[in-house]
Amino acid sequence: MTDEVDASRSTPLVDEAMKKAAVAWVGVADGPATALWCVPLEGALFVVSGPGEQTAPGLADADAARVTLRGDHGGRIVTWPARVTRLAPGTPEWETSAPLVAAKRLNASGPTADLVARWAADGCALTRLAPDGPPDAGSALPDASLAAEPRGAAVVRATRKPFRLHRVRRR
């Protein structure tokens, strides 16, 4: 890869968290972070988005993002700034990385080569998230929960009270 990880931009905590990552929370600009399936490879995280894959608003055209990784018990371990690089089909970086990422893609139909070809034909974005600065970790993490109201979605519906066939007697 021409864009190798600069050792001064990564830390052992980020490296170890990336090795175990399957899902990362990625935020672009001032937008909310989105949970994305990712593959750790060569000291960075790779994310595929686009038609037929996950939605990553703004990531394909971004230069920078914030990545949050969680631990085994669901708590945040580290948040770090990332340099975003979109790999173009046909480049040596694409030819090296895309098959490795496709091989890790769960529930993919067909062989890996077909999946990589579909990503290239459909205009999917294969992006590389490399560490690009000191992380927020340990005592640098905020004390507040940072919990936010859930974002609206078209799939959410109001729940109704359960239907009862008979009247319940109270004693």
Side-chain angles (χ1 to χ4, degrees), residues 32-87:
T34 304
L36 299 174
W37 167 78
C38 62
V39 174
L41 185 65
E42 301 173 354
L45 294 177
F46 286 80
V47 174
V48 179
S49 59
E53 297 296 329
Q54 61 194 347
T55 303
L59 185 62
D61 300 322
D63 294 327
R66 298 229 11 113
V67 178
T68 300
L69 299 175
R70 302 179 330 162
D72 294 338
H73 300 290
R76 175 172 54 169
I77 294 177
V78 64
T79 299
W80 45 275
R83 181 176 59 251
V84 179
T85 307
R86 183 172 179 174
L87 281 62

Side-chain angles (χ1 to χ4, degrees), residues 69-169:
L69 299 175
R70 302 179 330 162
D72 294 338
H73 300 290
R76 175 172 54 169
I77 294 177
V78 64
T79 299
W80 45 275
R83 181 176 59 251
V84 179
T85 307
R86 183 172 179 174
L87 281 62
T91 61
E93 292 85 7
W94 174 278
E95 299 300 327
T96 302
S97 302
L100 296 173
V101 173
K104 300 284 186 177
R105 172 74 163 80
L106 296 177
N107 302 326
S109 59
T112 301
D114 292 350
L115 183 59
V116 171
R118 182 180 65 80
W119 288 347
D122 290 350
C124 289
L126 176 59
T127 52
R128 182 176 190 268
L129 305 172
D132 193 33
D136 301 338
S139 62
L141 293 175
D143 291 331
S145 73
L146 302 180
E149 287 292 318
R151 294 188 295 262
V155 297
V156 177
R157 356 181 159 168
T159 57
R160 299 182 317 168
K161 291 183 179 181
F163 176 74
R164 289 191 178 159
L165 291 175
H166 55 69
R167 194 168 136 191
V168 178
R169 294 184 192 180

